[in-house]
Amino acid sequence: MATLLLVKGTSGKDVAALRKRLAAVLGDDAHDFPGLATGDGFDALVDAAARCWQAGIGMVADGVIGPCCQGLLGMMSPQAMEVPLTVDAVQHLFPATKKSNIVRYLPYVAAALDAVGLRDRTMICAALGTIRAESEGFVPITEFPSHFNTTPGLPAFSAYDGRKSLGNTQPGDGMRYRGRGFVQLTGRANYHTYAALIGVDIEDFPDLANAPEVAAVLLALFLSHAAECTIGVHQVEGVIRGI
């Protein structure tokens, strides 16, 4: 299985394949990145080349190469989903959401679900239900201060500080490890656990959890590891059955 997320600092055969594919798809522009096609490390040169390619095709140019970008580069072969994840179909489930957001971010979500093997109706419904509950705008976002996470008269996210259930042990952990992404990953313990699982240091750099490829993979892995997922499944499944 290919590495789900390739980022600056990673290395190996998948990065070697990435370098060759980037050199090929960039064409004449690859001359701006001498030596791109050789080596197996994701260094500053590869990061710059990846951003150049992403910008050129209208993707978020953040240098993160996950299932969506790997699919576009021909490094992953998409499999058939039980429920086709088309923009129009998903728009029915998100009537208050800008269609442009779904157009921009649905490919990341669909590719991550496919890469993790979540292709059945129930898990697709669970994924869409989770996004609708946590980020109805269909955008990976950072949690806002509210009465749920902030003690009156204290700094934002103060209610998360010292929460053993979240693994928040240091002053300011509440703010630092507030909810992010499609799944609203929250708490130092979760950031630590999933950083190891995805091979991206979201513990030291928590804002990376909002990168579209990272957010989509976090959503897919969270659902695949959950013993059961009931968030929005029944509500969404009733709508999606007719798609």
Side-chain angles (χ1 to χ4, degrees):
M1 179 178 176
T3 305
L4 289 177
L5 292 166
L6 302 174
V7 296
K8 190 175 180 181
T10 56
S11 61
K13 62 181 180 63
D14 291 324
V15 178
L18 169 64
R19 295 181 71 125
K20 289 182 173 63
R21 288 303 303 147
L22 284 174
V25 298
L26 283 172
D28 290 340
D29 289 337
H31 294 307
D32 295 332
F33 309 98
L36 177 61
T38 60
D40 65 355
F42 199 129
D43 53 19
L45 180 75
V46 178
D47 182 68
R51 291 171 188 264
C52 177
W53 168 72
Q54 289 171 322
I57 63 170
M59 304 297 287
V60 176
D62 56 9
V64 180
I65 305 297
C68 184
C69 287
Q70 290 185 50
L72 292 172
L73 287 166
M75 296 173 61
M76 285 187 175
S77 300
Q79 304 297 310
M81 307 289 276
E82 187 172 317
V83 177
L85 281 172
T86 65
V87 171
D88 288 340
V90 174
Q91 178 76 75
H92 286 302
L93 308 179
F94 292 78
T97 300
K98 293 179 180 179
K99 186 175 183 178
S100 58
N101 288 354
I102 298 173
V103 170
R104 189 166 183 78
Y105 292 104
L106 179 59
Y108 295 104
V109 173
L113 293 175
D114 179 25
V116 175
L118 303 184
R119 306 182 187 98
D120 60 283
R121 179 183 299 272
T122 298
M123 296 311 295
I124 291 171
C125 290
L128 294 176
T130 299
I131 294 173
R132 178 158 173 174
E134 302 292 354
S135 171
E136 190 173 358
F138 218 97
V139 176
I141 60 173
T142 299
E143 183 179 4
F144 297 108
S146 72
H147 66 278
F148 296 108
N149 54 43
T150 302
T151 302
L154 294 179
F157 304 101
S158 54
Y160 287 165
D161 280 334
R163 286 270 298 274
K164 292 183 178 180
S165 61
L166 295 174
N168 289 341
T169 58
Q170 304 297 319
D173 275 358
M175 168 71 81
R176 182 171 177 78
Y177 298 109
R178 59 196 186 276
R180 289 182 178 85
F182 291 119
V183 78
Q184 289 295 279
L185 190 73
T186 307
R188 178 186 285 272
N190 281 322
Y191 279 77
H192 175 79
T193 296
Y194 280 90
L197 286 172
I198 67 176
V200 177
D201 193 3
I202 58 173
E203 184 174 7
D204 284 344
F205 304 97
D207 283 336
L208 281 173
N210 277 336
E213 294 271 35
V214 177
V217 167
L218 286 172
L219 169 68
L221 287 178
F222 177 82
L223 293 177
S224 71
H225 295 152
E228 61 178 342
C229 181
T230 59
I231 300 176
V233 172
H234 301 301
Q235 295 93 326
V236 176
E237 194 165 25
V239 178
I240 206 170
R241 189 171 290 117
I243 297 174

